[in-house]
Amino acid sequence: MSANRGIMMEMDAETFEQLVIDELDALPDDMVEGLDNVVFVVEDRSADGGLDLFGLYDGWALTERDRYGGGELPDRIIVYREAHLAACDDEGALRDEVHTTLVHEIAHFYGIDDARLHELGWA
């Protein structure tokens, strides 16, 4: 991430979505093969309209799936495009930040909280 000094990097939604797919494909197989009933979604901004949230895991962590029933809607990992574009100066930095966001949100699926992610350097 870099200090973008108020200038938002430009990238259309389709190109950004492809970048997210590319970064998801680059993750280790053992990280993504265990994802069950999870979809990845790209949205422009978080519900509050701010640019400080890069991603969100919306669902039940694997460690809490005992409360999870059949017929549940899929959990979602949301990546916020405009927050990433506002924080990055170039495509390399953008790819790094998207990669970190994906790892962070996937970790929440596996039940790893923000405190532990911070300890591991992913928060």
Side-chain angles (χ1 to χ4, degrees):
M1 190 166 45
S2 58
N4 213 346
R5 297 174 291 287
I7 301 170
M8 185 179 294
M9 186 178 158
E10 292 188 24
M11 181 177 287
D12 64 58
E14 185 177 323
T15 304
F16 183 81
E17 188 171 317
Q18 186 58 55
L19 185 144
V20 171
I21 291 167
D22 292 347
E23 289 304 311
L24 185 57
D25 288 345
L27 294 174
D29 290 342
D30 59 345
M31 181 181 291
V32 294
E33 286 175 352
L35 296 174
D36 180 38
N37 204 29
V38 177
V39 296
F40 290 81
V41 178
V42 173
E43 294 182 0
D44 284 338
R45 289 186 184 217
S46 63
D48 69 3
L51 293 173
D52 57 338
L53 186 63
F54 293 115
L56 178 71
Y57 176 69
D58 179 26
W60 293 98
L62 193 59
T63 55
E64 299 174 347
R65 290 277 172 118
D66 61 325
R67 295 182 243 164
Y68 197 74
E72 296 281 340
L73 290 175
D75 294 355
R76 299 183 315 151
I77 291 177
I78 306 166
V79 178
Y80 297 111
R81 182 177 69 93
E82 291 180 3
H84 282 87
L85 295 177
C88 300
D89 288 328
D90 58 43
E91 188 172 323
L94 180 62
R95 286 184 177 280
D96 288 346
E97 192 60 51
V98 167
H99 180 92
T100 299
T101 299
L102 290 171
V103 169
H104 184 105
E105 301 311 329
I106 289 170
H108 287 319
F109 166 83
Y110 288 112
I112 301 171
D113 64 14
D114 282 334
R116 181 67 179 134
L117 283 168
H118 184 73
E119 290 171 13
L120 296 170
W122 289 104

